Amino acid sequence: MLWAASQVFRKFSTATVYYQNKLRLAIIGQSVFGQEVYSNLRKEGHKVVGVFTVPDKDGKADPLAVAAQKDGTPVFKFPRWRLKGKSIPEVVEAYKSVGAELNVLPFCSQFIPMDVIDNPKHGSIIYHPSILPRHRGASAINWTLIHGDKKAGFSVFWADDGLDTGPILLQRVCDVEPNDTVDSVYNRFLFPEGVKGMVKSVQLIADGKAPRIDQPEDGATYEGIQKKENAKICWDNSAEVIHNWIRGHDKVPGAWTVIKDQIVTLYGSSLLEGAVPSGEPLHIEGASKSGLVTKNGLVLFGKDEKMLIVKNLQFEDGKMIPASNYFSMGDVTVLELTEEEKAIESHIRDIWKGILSNVAAIEDSTDFFKSGAASMDVVRLVEEIKQKCAGLELQNEDVYMATTFQDFIQMVVRKFRGEDKEEIVVDYATLNVNNMTVKMPYQCFINGQFVDSDSGKTYETINPTDGSVLCKVSYCSVADVDKAVAAAKEAFENGEWGKMNARDRGRILYRLADLMEEHQEELATIEALDSGAVYTLALKTHVGMSVQTFRYFAGWCDKIQGSTIPINQARPNRNLTFTKKEPLG
């Protein structure tokens, strides 16, 4: 009985400690990031007494406002807090009425007066996406990439009357990969870890353990918002510097150059290694060497002769195209839709209408972004089309490439018909054997194409059973291997397979296994000819077991798990360590 009583007392005492260290919070800001910070603070037991956000835009409320209103949290939408440099009294009074003990500013585009910043018992904390004091000011993530920083991160700091100069409460740091973009750094680290960092910071304040570390002025930098006219590419730099400039300006305001007397904005930059790919030359104003329009994009050269490649180009009229289509962009014809495709069009029109609720009717000329859509709406559009249109796979960038409804439908239909896929041209050696005609490719398969070896050399492949020549096969050189490795690296890091979710990868592997089983007699015949294996062995073992192996691993695609180990049962977080398994390539 004494043991049971002590357990009850211990549980009661723990619960008391857990709930007493919570604060009354005012959330000041906007965006999906602000919404996540708000939701997670409420989950941790803090009381959000008011949300102060921006007014509705084109009839659409900010995500933070939507979440707060759903929860019944008081929401205030002030167009401004100050007028002619002075606080607006009625706005400040409305703010003070909620009685917050701490202001939390996860992302805020408005100027908040100091009598609001300093009003709560604990003051105000702000999230900033850089390792302060470096990159103070707006567009910090962009400048992290423009300057080629090897580390990125975020700071949670105590607000003062300076611009991002207040004492540091908490900082977190991550590596910047060579081909990281603003989106990849934000989505991989700054967003998810930033939400956790803000929640952690509030709890440290509630527990009386939050530090105040003065920012050093040594190493401090300030950069403002880049304007389009200042984002022109300087070609008198190395490929890496040009790459950093382009990715740092992607997608706003966009790094640009002049091609054929027209301003062209470049998007989707990555460094390119290996041999110079084949392509059609394109003169670029100010560049010491012409670019190359290749099947994978526009290859550009720095003054160090090293390469980078950009995926997309945008023209002055707003039209965006794949860079690989530069010389064929005028060849597009309007497609006539089948009944099935008209049904898809109807579904997509309903999806657009659901997202663009402020638009009276979706016309062919309706522009997705000019009608008020933002990046979060792109994700929603792609996912809803996948759910409602027979699993049709789109990428986020597809939406940016076709922004009007008519262009979008034409793009979707081409994908539905498979017209966006590049046809593989194959030369075969053919043999009539085993009551069938078998076809055997004999060239090198590099970067999605069958090509002759760099040297043009071939060698004879022999049927071991009788010594006869099956065909002549391309003889790969070191240069061919270099091209294949470079293509494989590019495909692994930037190709479609890596962007695909695990479930869809499994579906494709199942399809491969089905195709192998459908053609198993043909494959077994080729295997018997090439290796000398007995036909039944090739059929049942070499091909049959390969089919089963693909099916086995197809089932694993969405079930790969690491290990999760509890290291601390203390409430509220119950900390864990975990491993995450990822492919090495």
Side-chain angles (χ1 to χ4, degrees):
M1 286 295 293
L2 286 175
W3 177 84
S6 67
Q7 290 294 97
V8 170
F9 178 74
R10 184 163 62 86
K11 288 179 180 177
F12 175 78
S13 299
T14 303
T16 303
V17 171
Y18 171 59
Y19 284 109
Q20 72 182 8
N21 293 330
K22 300 299 167 183
L23 296 175
R24 293 169 56 85
L25 306 174
I27 309 295
I28 305 175
Q30 64 213 70
S31 78
V32 176
F33 182 76
Q35 173 194 337
E36 285 296 308
V37 171
Y38 159 81
S39 298
N40 279 272
L41 286 170
R42 291 184 76 249
K43 287 177 184 176
E44 291 298 312
H46 297 285
K47 174 69 174 177
V48 178
V49 293
V51 164
F52 299 85
T53 188
V54 293
D56 296 354
K57 182 180 179 182
D58 297 322
K60 296 177 68 175
D62 184 82
L64 173 57
V66 172
Q69 287 169 336
K70 184 178 179 181
D71 295 331
T73 301
V75 176
F76 303 82
K77 301 178 182 180
F78 301 135
R80 62 184 64 85
W81 293 70
R82 303 186 306 175
L83 187 62
K84 296 181 180 180
K86 294 184 178 181
S87 304
I88 301 174
E90 55 268 32
V91 170
V92 174
E93 286 305 310
Y95 158 76
K96 289 181 178 179
S97 68
V98 302
E101 297 173 298
L102 174 70
N103 293 331
V104 179
L105 286 73
F107 171 75
C108 182
S109 62
Q110 296 176 312
F111 288 100
I112 310 302
M114 288 307 298
D115 48 349
V116 171
I117 292 293
D118 293 336
N119 180 75
K121 171 184 176 182
H122 296 289
S124 303
I125 60 171
I126 302 176
Y127 170 91
H128 186 77
S130 81
I131 310 167
L132 292 173
R134 191 161 173 80
H135 305 310
R136 291 170 175 166
S139 306
I141 314 173
N142 303 73
W143 287 106
T144 297
L145 298 181
I146 291 170
H147 284 281
D149 294 358
K150 303 303 180 186
K151 298 286 184 181
F154 65 86
S155 306
V156 179
F157 68 96
W158 299 91
D160 64 5
D161 59 358
L163 183 59
D164 304 330
T165 56
I168 300 296
L169 192 163
L170 178 146
Q171 286 184 323
R172 296 287 184 266
V173 177
C174 71
D175 292 327
V176 177
E177 301 298 330
N179 290 322
D180 262 332
T181 63
V182 171
D183 284 347
S184 66
V185 174
Y186 184 71
N187 292 331
R188 182 181 74 242
F189 185 82
L190 297 177
F191 184 104
E193 295 303 317
V195 172
K196 295 175 188 176
M198 288 297 279
V199 175
K200 174 72 172 177
S201 298
V202 171
Q203 193 58 52
L204 286 171
I205 295 169
D207 294 338
K209 299 178 180 178
R212 291 176 179 260
I213 304 169
D214 290 338
Q215 290 189 38
E217 285 305 307
D218 185 31
T221 64
Y222 170 80
E223 298 96 0
I225 298 174
Q226 254 313 45
K227 296 182 179 180
K228 188 73 174 184
E229 58 264 30
N230 299 327
K232 186 176 182 180
I233 298 167
C234 174
W235 295 103
D236 190 29
N237 282 304
S238 67
E240 183 177 1
V241 170
I242 295 170
H243 163 63
N244 289 337
W245 185 261
I246 295 172
R247 66 174 176 154
H249 288 84
D250 192 340
K251 299 193 171 45
V252 178
W256 58 274
T257 189
V258 176
I259 301 175
K260 295 184 178 179
D261 299 323
Q262 185 177 12
I263 291 176
V264 179
T265 306
L266 312 183
Y267 296 107
S269 174
S270 57
L271 294 171
L272 185 63
E273 298 177 352
V276 177
S278 59
E280 192 170 349
L282 178 63
H283 176 71
I284 296 168
E285 185 179 293
S288 58
K289 188 173 182 178
S290 292
L292 291 172
V293 177
T294 72
K295 60 173 288 187
N296 293 319
L298 174 60
V299 174
L300 303 166
F301 299 87
K303 72 174 184 179
D304 56 358
E305 293 293 310
K306 293 184 177 180
M307 298 179 290
L308 61 144
I309 185 169
V310 295
K311 299 293 186 185
N312 302 317
L313 306 176
Q314 187 174 38
F315 300 93
E316 292 177 80
D317 62 0
K319 183 176 179 59
M320 186 180 286
I321 65 165
S324 57
N325 291 352
Y326 181 84
F327 288 113
S328 59
M329 59 183 173
D331 301 336
V332 179
T333 57
V334 177
L335 302 174
E336 291 291 332
L337 306 190
T338 65
E339 291 304 315
E340 184 179 13
E341 290 161 355
K342 288 178 181 178
I344 291 174
E345 178 187 32
S346 178
H347 284 311
I348 294 176
R349 192 182 296 274
D350 289 341
I351 294 170
W352 275 51
K353 180 59 181 172
I355 295 172
L356 305 177
S357 56
N358 56 301
V359 177
I362 304 299
E363 308 288 349
D364 284 350
S365 59
T366 301
D367 188 286
F368 192 68
F369 296 104
K370 290 179 181 178
S371 299
S375 57
M376 60 184 177
D377 298 309
V378 172
V379 176
R380 176 181 168 185
L381 177 61
V382 169
E383 286 301 312
E384 288 197 23
I385 288 176
K386 183 176 179 180
Q387 293 169 8
K388 299 177 182 179
C389 298
L392 187 62
E393 291 282 351
L394 298 180
Q395 302 298 328
N396 289 359
E397 67 179 26
D398 291 329
V399 184
Y400 293 102
M401 305 289 280
T403 60
T404 67
F405 185 74
Q406 182 181 45
D407 289 346
F408 188 79
I409 291 298
Q410 292 286 305
M411 177 271 296
V412 167
V413 170
R414 285 190 167 85
K415 284 184 175 291
F416 181 73
R417 295 179 182 181
E419 292 180 10
D420 63 314
K421 303 287 192 302
E422 190 168 330
E423 185 176 350
I424 298 177
V425 179
V426 188
D427 289 335
Y428 296 103
T430 59
L431 283 175
N432 294 313
V433 62
N434 200 21
N435 297 318
M436 68 181 74
T437 299
V438 295
K439 296 180 177 181
M440 298 172 288
Y442 57 83
Q443 295 171 293
C444 311
F445 188 69
I446 299 174
N447 200 20
Q449 292 182 319
F450 285 99
V451 294
D452 291 330
S453 64
D454 191 61
S455 65
K457 291 182 179 180
T458 61
Y459 71 97
E460 294 180 343
T461 181
I462 307 298
N463 181 347
T465 60
D466 59 12
S468 62
V469 176
L470 293 173
C471 63
K472 290 186 176 182
V473 178
S474 293
Y475 191 92
C476 288
S477 64
V478 171
D480 293 311
V481 174
D482 287 344
K483 289 178 185 177
V485 170
K489 183 175 185 292
E490 169 66 16
F492 179 71
E493 294 178 351
N494 301 305
E496 297 303 317
W497 188 255
K499 299 174 186 175
M500 198 179 298
N501 66 53
R503 181 180 61 255
D504 292 328
R505 286 199 294 269
R507 180 174 53 81
I508 290 174
L509 289 179
Y510 276 124
R511 177 61 178 149
L512 174 59
D514 291 343
L515 286 169
M516 290 178 67
E517 189 171 58
E518 183 181 336
H519 295 274
Q520 60 184 333
E521 290 85 1
E522 181 182 353
L523 293 172
T525 299
I526 294 172
E527 176 67 5
L529 290 171
D530 192 46
S531 69
V534 176
Y535 173 74
T536 52
L537 175 69
L539 181 66
K540 298 298 183 184
T541 304
H542 297 186
V543 178
M545 290 182 66
S546 295
V547 170
Q548 296 307 317
T549 299
F550 275 114
R551 285 187 176 140
Y552 175 82
F553 284 104
W556 269 109
C557 281
D558 57 359
K559 301 175 184 68
I560 298 297
Q561 298 178 355
S563 300
T564 304
I565 306 167
I567 59 170
N568 188 335
Q569 291 296 327
R571 298 174 72 177
N573 295 324
R574 300 189 186 278
N575 296 331
L576 306 169
T577 62
F578 66 92
T579 58
K580 180 182 178 184
K581 296 182 180 179
E582 295 181 339
L584 291 175

